[in-house]
Amino acid sequence: MDELLRQAITILRGMWHRRWLGLAVAWLVGVVGAAVVYKIPDRYAASARIYVDTQSLLGPLMAGLAIAPTSTSRWG
């Protein structure tokens, strides 16, 4: 356990001595990442198609409720 604690302290001291390098690398990664995200074009697209067969769908539903449409008119 003592060896593990000593090893952790050694690693933490090494990280503390190189903290400015770590901060610079974090900033560089952040700036490059922001530039890449900024360059991505804003493209949003959506499309939808709905196919309805009115003869088979509306026929049973409207049976007895409405008069069926005809292709000829009595006025002309």
Side-chain angles (χ1 to χ4, degrees):
M1 182 69 177
D2 210 24
E3 179 65 30
L4 185 62
L5 197 56
R6 206 173 308 128
Q7 187 179 7
I9 291 172
T10 304
I11 290 172
L12 288 173
R13 281 187 183 149
M15 288 170 56
W16 183 253
H17 289 297
R18 292 175 181 84
R19 67 185 178 271
W20 296 113
L21 178 62
L23 186 64
V25 168
W27 268 98
L28 181 66
V29 168
V31 168
V32 169
V36 168
V37 169
Y38 183 72
K39 289 290 184 181
I40 295 174
D42 293 333
R43 265 187 286 152
Y44 303 102
S47 64
R49 289 188 180 180
I50 298 174
Y51 296 102
V52 178
D53 183 10
T54 58
Q55 298 303 318
S56 65
L57 182 66
L58 291 178
L61 292 175
M62 299 301 284
L65 295 178
I67 300 170
T70 59
S71 60
T72 60
S73 172
R74 65 181 228 201
W75 301 106

